Amino acid sequence: MDEKWMQNIVEEYSRLQNEYVGEIKISLVPNWQSVIVETIGEIGRSIVLTEYKVNGKTFWAGYSTRSGTVFLSVR
């Protein structure tokens, strides 16, 4: 997922706060978190979140290709 597309997803989430943006699922993670471990079955995978600024708020977001999920943390 490229940075422009991720920025658009974060902007749309900040306006509507929906669980889905298009076909992309949004999963909120605890505030101030910048790395998460996504576990599917017995396999874990680190997802590093990148900082995005939208309307004066700071969001951290990362995309998992395995689950098609954007993980989002609000600061």
Side-chain angles (χ1 to χ4, degrees), residues 7 18 28 37 42-43 45 47 49 64:
Q7 179 76 30
N18 289 337
L28 296 178
V37 176
E42 294 181 6
I43 299 171
R45 182 173 168 188
I47 308 294
L49 308 182
S64 169

Side-chain angles (χ1 to χ4, degrees), residues 4 7 31 37 41 59 63:
K4 187 174 182 178
Q7 179 76 30
N31 294 348
V37 176
F59 295 86
Y63 180 69

